[in-house]
Amino acid sequence: VHGHTVIYDFTNPHTYFRCISSQPLSTRAWAVQERVLARRTIHFSKTELFWECKDNNACETHPINFPCYPSSGDYFLRKGWGLNWDTIIRIYTSANLTYGRDKLVAISGLARHVWRNGQCSTYKDYVAGLWLSELRYTMKTLCWEILDLRPKPTPYRAPSWSWASKDGRTIFPA
């Protein structure tokens, strides 16, 4: 155009959600842990193949790198530790557990991984889905909110001040 090259990108901004996040496997809580802890993941969707690793997320349409804007949604899960605990909890609590009593057990592998990667000082600081080291310095950890509250879980599984005591998509306001 007027002597300049113009490149138009016609990528559907909902591609990632449509092909990966909304699929049955992505709605399962145990799959969140598997996706984060696995070094590499390949997704076979109805329309194309996606692959994820610590250094790159790509697909058949974008084999070099998946564009930023489709991957900025609430359900996008990046490997490596561009994820913080708040993001992990938001994605994890959006998923479904077969047994509510497994809520903290099912996320314990992620907590251990966060600890091993130096994001928290000691593993002893983790209790009921929260990091005590964060509680000491900021009350933000206690300011969680359930966006789609489900009936009160039974039996008891966590203290009332923990997000794990409730069922539903949990966020931590900024």
Side-chain angles (χ1 to χ4, degrees), residues 72-142:
S72 60
D74 281 350
Y75 298 98
F76 183 70
L77 189 60
R78 182 174 294 285
K79 293 226 184 271
W81 285 94
L83 284 179
N84 61 30
W85 191 248
D86 297 359
T87 303
I88 291 169
I89 298 304
R90 186 189 71 234
I91 293 170
Y92 177 74
T93 57
S94 298
N96 300 311
L97 280 167
T98 304
Y99 302 106
R101 66 180 180 266
D102 293 341
K103 191 168 199 166
L104 289 172
V105 173
I107 200 168
S108 64
L110 287 171
R112 195 172 303 113
H113 185 73
V114 168
W115 170 74
R116 284 185 183 148
N117 284 290
Q119 290 195 352
C120 277
S121 56
T122 64
Y123 190 67
K124 291 182 283 187
D125 281 334
Y126 176 79
V127 63
L130 301 170
W131 296 99
L132 290 179
S133 54
E134 287 183 5
L135 284 170
R136 289 184 192 123
Y137 303 111
T138 175
M139 297 309 279
K140 181 187 118 183
T141 306
L142 294 176

Side-chain angles (χ1 to χ4, degrees), residues 13-169:
H14 306 291
T15 300
Y16 186 88
F17 180 79
R18 181 178 44 80
C19 293
I20 298 174
S21 298
S22 67
Q23 298 306 305
L25 184 59
S26 293
T27 65
R28 306 303 305 163
W30 64 267
V32 173
Q33 180 168 282
E34 293 295 324
R35 285 184 59 202
V36 172
L37 296 179
R39 292 179 185 258
R40 294 169 204 85
T41 306
I42 296 177
H43 300 277
F44 296 91
S45 78
K46 291 179 183 177
T47 57
E48 62 184 303
L49 190 68
F50 289 77
W51 52 95
E52 303 168 338
C53 68
K54 183 179 175 185
D55 298 323
N56 194 12
N57 287 355
C59 62
E60 289 178 276
T61 307
H62 298 283
I64 304 299
N65 198 353
F66 201 68
C68 292
Y69 61 89
S71 59
S72 60
D74 281 350
Y75 298 98
F76 183 70
L77 189 60
R78 182 174 294 285
K79 293 226 184 271
W81 285 94
L83 284 179
N84 61 30
W85 191 248
D86 297 359
T87 303
I88 291 169
I89 298 304
R90 186 189 71 234
I91 293 170
Y92 177 74
T93 57
S94 298
N96 300 311
L97 280 167
T98 304
Y99 302 106
R101 66 180 180 266
D102 293 341
K103 191 168 199 166
L104 289 172
V105 173
I107 200 168
S108 64
L110 287 171
R112 195 172 303 113
H113 185 73
V114 168
W115 170 74
R116 284 185 183 148
N117 284 290
Q119 290 195 352
C120 277
S121 56
T122 64
Y123 190 67
K124 291 182 283 187
D125 281 334
Y126 176 79
V127 63
L130 301 170
W131 296 99
L132 290 179
S133 54
E134 287 183 5
L135 284 170
R136 289 184 192 123
Y137 303 111
T138 175
M139 297 309 279
K140 181 187 118 183
T141 306
L142 294 176
C143 296
W144 48 267
E145 177 183 351
I146 306 289
L147 296 181
D148 54 349
L149 185 62
R150 298 174 196 146
K152 185 176 180 177
T154 55
Y156 171 87
R157 67 168 168 235
S160 61
W161 44 264
S162 170
W163 58 267
S165 67
K166 306 283 184 208
D167 285 331
R169 185 171 175 212

